C-alpha cells in the first residue's frame, strides 16, 4: 500500500453534466468563425465549469464534530469522522 499523501489537501467539487452541457452549447452557438482548435477556450471560461475547492483543517473538523451533534441525525463516531476527513483531504 502506498504511503503517499496529497500535496495540496483540498477537496474539489465535481462538475455536473448540466454545467458541461451549458459550456458545449455556448461553443456550438457561437456565431462567429472559430479560427483555430483552441479558440473554444475563450468562448466559455473553464473556471465556470468547476472552480470550487474546499479545505477543512483537521482541528476544525474535530471542533465541528464536537459542537454540532444533534439527536435526530445519525450520530457519527469520532473514528468515522477522522476516516472521512482523511479520505477527503489527506489521502490520494
Amino acid at each position: 500500500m502506498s504511503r503517499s499523501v496529497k500535496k495540496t489537501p483540498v477537496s474539489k467539487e465535481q462538475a455536473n453534466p448540466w454545467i458541461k452541457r451549458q459550456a458545449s452549447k455556448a461553443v456550438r452557438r457561437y456565431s462567429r468563425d472559430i479560427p483555430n482548435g483552441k479558440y473554444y477556450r475563450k468562448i466559455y471560461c473553464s473556471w465556470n465549469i468547476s472552480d470550487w475547492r474546499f479545505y477543512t483543517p483537521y482541528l476544525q473538523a474535530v471542533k465541528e464534530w464536537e459542537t454540532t451533534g444533534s439527536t435526530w441525525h445519525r450520530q457519527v463516531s469520532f473514528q468515522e469522522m477522522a476516516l472521512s476527513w482523511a479520505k477527503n483531504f489527506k489521502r490520494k
Side-chain angles (χ1 to χ4, degrees), residues 6 8-14 50-57 84-91:
K6 290 182 180 178
T8 55
V10 297
S11 180
K12 296 180 185 178
E13 178 190 35
Q14 297 294 326
S50 178
D51 65 343
W52 297 99
R53 289 179 173 223
F54 305 102
Y55 175 64
T56 305
S84 69
W85 180 87
K87 177 184 173 188
N88 292 328
F89 294 105
K90 190 173 182 181
R91 289 188 232 133

Side-chain angles (χ1 to χ4, degrees), residues 27-53:
V27 173
R28 281 195 311 266
R29 293 177 180 171
Y30 188 68
S31 60
R32 292 184 231 147
D33 187 33
I34 297 177
N36 59 22
K38 294 182 180 180
Y39 193 75
Y40 73 91
R41 295 177 185 173
K42 295 185 179 185
I43 298 170
Y44 195 88
C45 181
S46 64
W47 286 96
N48 293 338
I49 295 175
S50 178
D51 65 343
W52 297 99
R53 289 179 173 223

